[in-house]
Short mmCIF file of all heavy atoms in Angstrom, two decimals:
data_model
loop_
_atom_site.label_atom_id
_atom_site.label_comp_id
_atom_site.label_asym_id
_atom_site.label_seq_id
_atom_site.Cartn_x
_atom_site.Cartn_y
_atom_site.Cartn_z
N MET I 1 0.84 -1.19 0.00
CA MET I 1 0.00 0.00 0.00
C MET I 1 0.88 1.24 0.00
O MET I 1 1.87 1.31 0.71
CB MET I 1 -0.90 -0.03 1.23
CG MET I 1 -1.95 1.03 1.22
SD MET I 1 -3.15 0.69 2.52
CE MET I 1 -3.59 2.33 2.94
N GLU I 2 0.50 2.20 -0.79
CA GLU I 2 1.27 3.44 -0.89
C GLU I 2 1.02 4.30 0.35
O GLU I 2 -0.12 4.49 0.76
CB GLU I 2 0.88 4.18 -2.16
CG GLU I 2 1.23 3.39 -3.40
CD GLU I 2 0.51 3.89 -4.63
OE1 GLU I 2 -0.62 4.38 -4.51
OE2 GLU I 2 1.07 3.75 -5.71
N PRO I 3 2.09 4.84 0.95
CA PRO I 3 1.94 5.64 2.16
C PRO I 3 1.37 7.03 1.88
O PRO I 3 1.74 7.67 0.89
CB PRO I 3 3.36 5.72 2.72
CG PRO I 3 4.23 5.52 1.53
CD PRO I 3 3.48 4.63 0.60
N LYS I 4 0.46 7.44 2.75
CA LYS I 4 -0.17 8.74 2.61
C LYS I 4 0.35 9.64 3.72
O LYS I 4 0.43 9.23 4.88
CB LYS I 4 -1.69 8.59 2.72
CG LYS I 4 -2.46 9.87 2.43
CD LYS I 4 -3.94 9.66 2.50
CE LYS I 4 -4.44 9.07 1.22
NZ LYS I 4 -5.91 9.12 1.12
N LEU I 5 0.69 10.88 3.36
CA LEU I 5 1.20 11.86 4.31
C LEU I 5 0.16 12.95 4.54
O LEU I 5 -0.51 13.39 3.61
CB LEU I 5 2.48 12.51 3.77
CG LEU I 5 3.64 11.57 3.51
CD1 LEU I 5 4.76 12.32 2.80
CD2 LEU I 5 4.14 10.97 4.80
N TYR I 6 0.06 13.39 5.79
CA TYR I 6 -0.74 14.55 6.13
C TYR I 6 0.17 15.76 6.02
O TYR I 6 1.29 15.75 6.52
CB TYR I 6 -1.27 14.41 7.57
CG TYR I 6 -1.82 15.70 8.11
CD1 TYR I 6 -3.12 16.10 7.82
CD2 TYR I 6 -1.04 16.53 8.91
CE1 TYR I 6 -3.62 17.29 8.31
CE2 TYR I 6 -1.53 17.71 9.40
CZ TYR I 6 -2.82 18.10 9.10
OH TYR I 6 -3.31 19.28 9.58
N VAL I 7 -0.30 16.80 5.37
CA VAL I 7 0.46 18.05 5.24
C VAL I 7 -0.43 19.17 5.77
O VAL I 7 -1.46 19.49 5.19
CB VAL I 7 0.84 18.33 3.77
CG1 VAL I 7 1.74 19.56 3.69
CG2 VAL I 7 1.52 17.13 3.15
N GLY I 8 -0.02 19.74 6.90
CA GLY I 8 -0.82 20.79 7.53
C GLY I 8 -0.13 22.14 7.52
O GLY I 8 1.04 22.26 7.17
N ASN I 9 -0.89 23.15 7.93
CA ASN I 9 -0.44 24.53 8.03
C ASN I 9 -0.12 25.11 6.64
O ASN I 9 0.80 25.92 6.49
CB ASN I 9 0.76 24.68 8.97
CG ASN I 9 0.91 26.10 9.45
OD1 ASN I 9 -0.05 26.81 9.65
ND2 ASN I 9 2.15 26.53 9.62
N LEU I 10 -0.89 24.70 5.65
CA LEU I 10 -0.68 25.21 4.29
C LEU I 10 -1.21 26.62 4.15
O LEU I 10 -2.24 26.98 4.73
CB LEU I 10 -1.40 24.33 3.27
CG LEU I 10 -0.87 22.93 3.06
CD1 LEU I 10 -1.79 22.17 2.11
CD2 LEU I 10 0.54 22.97 2.51
N SER I 11 -0.52 27.39 3.34
CA SER I 11 -1.01 28.71 2.96
C SER I 11 -2.23 28.52 2.07
O SER I 11 -2.30 27.55 1.30
CB SER I 11 0.08 29.46 2.20
OG SER I 11 -0.45 30.58 1.54
N TYR I 12 -3.15 29.46 2.11
CA TYR I 12 -4.30 29.37 1.22
C TYR I 12 -3.90 29.64 -0.23
O TYR I 12 -4.67 29.41 -1.14
CB TYR I 12 -5.41 30.32 1.67
CG TYR I 12 -5.98 29.91 3.00
CD1 TYR I 12 -5.93 30.75 4.11
CD2 TYR I 12 -6.57 28.66 3.18
CE1 TYR I 12 -6.45 30.36 5.33
CE2 TYR I 12 -7.08 28.26 4.39
CZ TYR I 12 -7.02 29.12 5.47
OH TYR I 12 -7.54 28.73 6.68
N ASP I 13 -2.66 30.11 -0.44
CA ASP I 13 -2.14 30.34 -1.78
C ASP I 13 -1.47 29.10 -2.38
O ASP I 13 -1.15 29.08 -3.55
CB ASP I 13 -1.13 31.49 -1.77
CG ASP I 13 -1.77 32.81 -1.38
OD1 ASP I 13 -2.96 33.01 -1.68
OD2 ASP I 13 -1.08 33.65 -0.76
N THR I 14 -1.24 28.09 -1.56
CA THR I 14 -0.58 26.87 -2.04
C THR I 14 -1.50 26.12 -2.99
O THR I 14 -2.70 25.97 -2.74
CB THR I 14 -0.19 25.96 -0.86
OG1 THR I 14 0.69 26.67 0.00
CG2 THR I 14 0.50 24.69 -1.33
N THR I 15 -0.93 25.65 -4.10
CA THR I 15 -1.70 24.90 -5.09
C THR I 15 -1.26 23.44 -5.09
O THR I 15 -0.21 23.09 -4.54
CB THR I 15 -1.47 25.47 -6.50
OG1 THR I 15 -0.09 25.28 -6.85
CG2 THR I 15 -1.84 26.94 -6.58
N GLU I 16 -2.06 22.60 -5.73
CA GLU I 16 -1.69 21.19 -5.88
C GLU I 16 -0.37 21.07 -6.62
O GLU I 16 0.48 20.25 -6.28
CB GLU I 16 -2.78 20.41 -6.61
CG GLU I 16 -3.99 20.14 -5.75
CD GLU I 16 -5.02 19.24 -6.41
OE1 GLU I 16 -4.66 18.48 -7.34
OE2 GLU I 16 -6.18 19.27 -5.99
N ALA I 17 -0.17 21.92 -7.62
CA ALA I 17 1.07 21.86 -8.42
C ALA I 17 2.29 22.22 -7.58
O ALA I 17 3.32 21.55 -7.67
CB ALA I 17 0.95 22.80 -9.62
N SER I 18 2.18 23.26 -6.74
CA SER I 18 3.34 23.64 -5.92
C SER I 18 3.62 22.59 -4.85
O SER I 18 4.78 22.32 -4.53
CB SER I 18 3.15 25.02 -5.30
OG SER I 18 2.08 25.05 -4.39
N LEU I 19 2.58 21.96 -4.33
CA LEU I 19 2.75 20.90 -3.34
C LEU I 19 3.40 19.68 -3.99
O LEU I 19 4.32 19.09 -3.44
CB LEU I 19 1.39 20.54 -2.75
CG LEU I 19 1.35 19.97 -1.35
CD1 LEU I 19 2.11 20.82 -0.35
CD2 LEU I 19 -0.08 19.80 -0.89
N ARG I 20 2.95 19.33 -5.18
CA ARG I 20 3.52 18.20 -5.92
C ARG I 20 5.00 18.47 -6.22
O ARG I 20 5.84 17.58 -6.06
CB ARG I 20 2.75 17.96 -7.21
CG ARG I 20 3.24 16.76 -8.01
CD ARG I 20 2.40 16.55 -9.26
NE ARG I 20 1.04 16.14 -8.96
CZ ARG I 20 0.66 14.89 -8.75
NH1 ARG I 20 1.54 13.91 -8.78
NH2 ARG I 20 -0.61 14.61 -8.51
N ALA I 21 5.33 19.68 -6.61
CA ALA I 21 6.72 20.03 -6.92
C ALA I 21 7.59 19.91 -5.68
O ALA I 21 8.71 19.37 -5.74
CB ALA I 21 6.79 21.45 -7.49
N ALA I 22 7.10 20.37 -4.54
CA ALA I 22 7.88 20.29 -3.30
C ALA I 22 8.12 18.84 -2.90
O ALA I 22 9.24 18.46 -2.56
CB ALA I 22 7.16 21.05 -2.18
N PHE I 23 7.09 18.01 -2.95
CA PHE I 23 7.21 16.62 -2.52
C PHE I 23 7.95 15.75 -3.53
O PHE I 23 8.50 14.71 -3.16
CB PHE I 23 5.84 16.04 -2.16
CG PHE I 23 5.40 16.42 -0.78
CD1 PHE I 23 4.87 17.66 -0.53
CD2 PHE I 23 5.57 15.55 0.28
CE1 PHE I 23 4.49 18.04 0.75
CE2 PHE I 23 5.21 15.91 1.56
CZ PHE I 23 4.67 17.15 1.80
N SER I 24 8.00 16.17 -4.77
CA SER I 24 8.71 15.38 -5.77
C SER I 24 10.22 15.40 -5.52
O SER I 24 10.94 14.56 -6.06
CB SER I 24 8.39 15.86 -7.19
OG SER I 24 8.89 17.16 -7.39
N GLN I 25 10.70 16.31 -4.68
CA GLN I 25 12.11 16.31 -4.28
C GLN I 25 12.45 15.02 -3.53
O GLN I 25 13.60 14.59 -3.52
CB GLN I 25 12.42 17.49 -3.36
CG GLN I 25 12.22 18.85 -3.97
CD GLN I 25 12.38 19.93 -2.93
OE1 GLN I 25 13.38 19.98 -2.23
NE2 GLN I 25 11.38 20.79 -2.82
N ALA I 26 11.45 14.42 -2.88
CA ALA I 26 11.65 13.21 -2.08
C ALA I 26 11.40 11.93 -2.86
O ALA I 26 11.74 10.85 -2.39
CB ALA I 26 10.75 13.25 -0.85
N GLY I 27 10.77 12.03 -4.02
CA GLY I 27 10.48 10.83 -4.80
C GLY I 27 9.24 11.02 -5.65
O GLY I 27 8.83 12.14 -5.94
N THR I 28 8.62 9.91 -6.00
CA THR I 28 7.46 9.91 -6.88
C THR I 28 6.19 10.22 -6.09
O THR I 28 5.85 9.52 -5.15
CB THR I 28 7.31 8.55 -7.58
OG1 THR I 28 8.52 8.28 -8.28
CG2 THR I 28 6.14 8.55 -8.55
N VAL I 29 5.50 11.27 -6.51
CA VAL I 29 4.23 11.64 -5.90
C VAL I 29 3.12 10.96 -6.69
O VAL I 29 2.97 11.18 -7.89
CB VAL I 29 4.04 13.17 -5.90
CG1 VAL I 29 2.67 13.55 -5.36
CG2 VAL I 29 5.15 13.85 -5.12
N VAL I 30 2.36 10.11 -6.01
CA VAL I 30 1.27 9.38 -6.66
C VAL I 30 0.02 10.24 -6.75
O VAL I 30 -0.66 10.27 -7.78
CB VAL I 30 0.97 8.07 -5.89
CG1 VAL I 30 -0.23 7.35 -6.48
CG2 VAL I 30 2.19 7.17 -5.89
N ALA I 31 -0.29 10.97 -5.66
CA ALA I 31 -1.49 11.81 -5.65
C ALA I 31 -1.35 12.94 -4.65
O ALA I 31 -0.64 12.81 -3.65
CB ALA I 31 -2.71 10.97 -5.27
N VAL I 32 -2.02 14.05 -4.95
CA VAL I 32 -2.11 15.19 -4.04
C VAL I 32 -3.59 15.50 -3.88
O VAL I 32 -4.28 15.75 -4.87
CB VAL I 32 -1.37 16.44 -4.59
CG1 VAL I 32 -1.58 17.62 -3.68
CG2 VAL I 32 0.11 16.14 -4.77
N ASP I 33 -4.07 15.46 -2.65
CA ASP I 33 -5.49 15.76 -2.37
C ASP I 33 -5.57 16.97 -1.46
O ASP I 33 -5.36 16.87 -0.26
CB ASP I 33 -6.16 14.56 -1.69
CG ASP I 33 -6.16 13.33 -2.57
OD1 ASP I 33 -6.53 13.46 -3.76
OD2 ASP I 33 -5.81 12.25 -2.08
N MET I 34 -5.85 18.14 -2.06
CA MET I 34 -6.04 19.36 -1.28
C MET I 34 -7.46 19.32 -0.72
O MET I 34 -8.41 19.11 -1.47
CB MET I 34 -5.89 20.60 -2.17
CG MET I 34 -4.53 20.76 -2.81
SD MET I 34 -3.29 21.48 -1.73
CE MET I 34 -3.91 23.11 -1.50
N ILE I 35 -7.59 19.51 0.56
CA ILE I 35 -8.91 19.44 1.19
C ILE I 35 -9.55 20.83 1.13
O ILE I 35 -8.95 21.82 1.53
CB ILE I 35 -8.79 18.95 2.65
CG1 ILE I 35 -8.02 17.62 2.70
CG2 ILE I 35 -10.18 18.84 3.28
CD1 ILE I 35 -8.59 16.52 1.83
N LYS I 36 -10.79 20.85 0.62
CA LYS I 36 -11.50 22.11 0.43
C LYS I 36 -12.85 22.06 1.13
O LYS I 36 -13.43 20.99 1.32
CB LYS I 36 -11.69 22.39 -1.05
CG LYS I 36 -10.36 22.56 -1.76
CD LYS I 36 -10.54 22.83 -3.22
CE LYS I 36 -9.16 22.99 -3.86
NZ LYS I 36 -9.22 23.13 -5.28
N ASP I 37 -13.35 23.21 1.49
CA ASP I 37 -14.66 23.34 2.11
C ASP I 37 -15.72 22.91 1.10
O ASP I 37 -15.68 23.32 -0.07
CB ASP I 37 -14.89 24.79 2.54
CG ASP I 37 -16.19 24.96 3.28
OD1 ASP I 37 -17.23 25.19 2.59
OD2 ASP I 37 -16.19 24.86 4.51
#
């Protein structure tokens, strides 16, 4: 099973693309799920 990480304290300006770019430094990002109201 692929491990899922919780990412908190995000700026409201952060996008899925910028989050994917940051985490891709560590390896392959399978999915990014931004939680919205």
Side-chain angles (χ1 to χ4, degrees):
M1 189 168 148
E2 296 163 329
K4 187 178 278 193
L5 300 172
Y6 166 83
V7 185
N9 200 34
L10 291 175
S11 166
Y12 294 120
D13 296 329
T14 300
T15 64
E16 286 187 21
S18 64
L19 207 51
R20 183 178 293 274
F23 278 80
S24 66
Q25 298 173 53
T28 303
V29 176
V30 175
V32 175
D33 298 312
M34 299 279 293
I35 306 305
K36 297 180 180 175
D37 184 272

